[in-house]
Amino acid sequence: MFVGVLALQGSFHEHIAALRKLGVDAIEVRKPEHLDGISGLIIPGGESTTMAKLAEQYKLIPALKEFVASGKPTWGTCAGLIFLANKAIGQKKGGQELLGGLDCIVHRNFFGSQVNSFETELIVPALAAAEGGPPGFRAVFIRAPAILETGPSVEVLADCTIPSIEAQKGNGQFGETVTVTVAVRQGNLLATAFHPELTSDTRWHSFFLNMLKEKENPNRVIPQNESEKQHLRQQIESKDLPIFQETECLRFEI
């Protein structure tokens, strides 16, 4: 089984490293023909407008749209979430072409600029039920989007509560908060506003690989029982950041 990772820009190296920890081969996707023969695709975090322009330059947009529409599992993280959304607001002048397919409205930079990046603990009951481990997930948000609205076929996997914009400006009441959606699944599509590839917790990657198993029913894609999953988790020394000591560098949005 091969998983493709869109490798135009952004944190594709970190996704590949996470997949390799789970024993899965990954292919860097830069041309339409690279999509042939892969079982699923990850669209990484990065700068969404730049990613879209590069995809247009390499004539990838039609092939990516066809791949998503084919029903093969596709996961977008951060910028990848924006790319998969049916509608995005807060875009740069001129906007960007979206692949679509995910029935939601995304705000491109809901959480603010680069300096507003943060980490927080998310409650992820669906992930914990499927993959084991603790009920929380330490999520890394870097100039992150948020999902403002979802369609009826979209399953919400995680929410995030932050002080409201007015409260942050000093115009709102103390303790005023707003809750937005930051992880969803719709059929073959998975999307997260945060960066699981920048943590040592590989459960989101395992969750995505299980989506491939649902689609293709291979003999063995990932660990099949809790003892095997626990064995993999024990091989990871720490869940603290920074994560990937073996990668050359971390690529963040700018």
Side-chain angles (χ1 to χ4, degrees), residues 15 19 40-44 72-78 80-81 84 184 188-197 202-209 211:
H15 274 293
L19 290 170
L41 177 69
I42 296 175
I43 304 175
K72 289 186 176 181
T74 305
W75 175 19
T77 62
C78 197
L81 158 61
L84 288 175
V184 295
N188 65 303
L189 303 179
L190 178 66
T192 54
F194 47 92
H195 290 262
E197 75 279 10
T202 57
R203 286 182 296 164
W204 283 105
H205 289 82
S206 180
F207 186 88
F208 178 65
L209 294 175
M211 289 173 58

Side-chain angles (χ1 to χ4, degrees), residues 21-22 126-133 201-203 206-207 210 213 220 222-236 239:
K21 281 187 174 181
L22 294 173
L127 181 69
E131 302 300 328
D201 189 338
T202 57
R203 286 182 296 164
S206 180
F207 186 88
N210 264 323
K213 181 185 175 184
R220 189 175 191 275
I222 57 174
Q224 300 296 305
N225 55 56
E226 182 57 34
S227 64
E228 291 181 344
K229 293 175 185 176
Q230 182 63 27
H231 176 68
L232 272 177
R233 284 195 285 269
Q234 288 173 350
Q235 292 176 345
I236 301 172
K239 290 191 176 182

Side-chain angles (χ1 to χ4, degrees), residues 43-65:
I43 304 175
E47 209 294 314
S48 60
T49 305
T50 300
M51 194 179 298
K53 288 180 178 178
L54 288 171
E56 290 178 8
Q57 180 180 334
Y58 288 100
K59 304 185 186 306
L60 264 168
I61 296 292
L64 288 170
K65 286 184 175 181

Side-chain angles (χ1 to χ4, degrees), residues 46-144:
E47 209 294 314
S48 60
T49 305
T50 300
M51 194 179 298
K53 288 180 178 178
L54 288 171
E56 290 178 8
Q57 180 180 334
Y58 288 100
K59 304 185 186 306
L60 264 168
I61 296 292
L64 288 170
K65 286 184 175 181
E66 183 179 350
F67 187 93
V68 171
S70 74
K72 289 186 176 181
T74 305
W75 175 19
T77 62
C78 197
L81 158 61
I82 300 169
F83 220 12
L84 288 175
N86 283 346
K87 182 178 180 180
I89 62 176
Q91 298 188 69
K92 291 182 178 179
K93 185 177 181 180
Q96 68 183 76
E97 186 159 5
L98 304 175
L99 300 180
L102 187 60
D103 187 11
C104 67
I105 299 176
V106 172
H107 191 296
R108 182 176 177 271
N109 287 136
F110 179 85
F111 292 101
S113 64
Q114 191 81 7
V115 296
N116 301 117
S117 301
F118 64 99
E119 299 173 35
T120 191
E121 193 80 9
L122 300 178
I123 302 302
V124 286
L127 181 69
E131 302 300 328
F137 180 87
R138 190 70 178 174
V140 181
F141 289 82
I142 304 173
R143 196 182 173 193

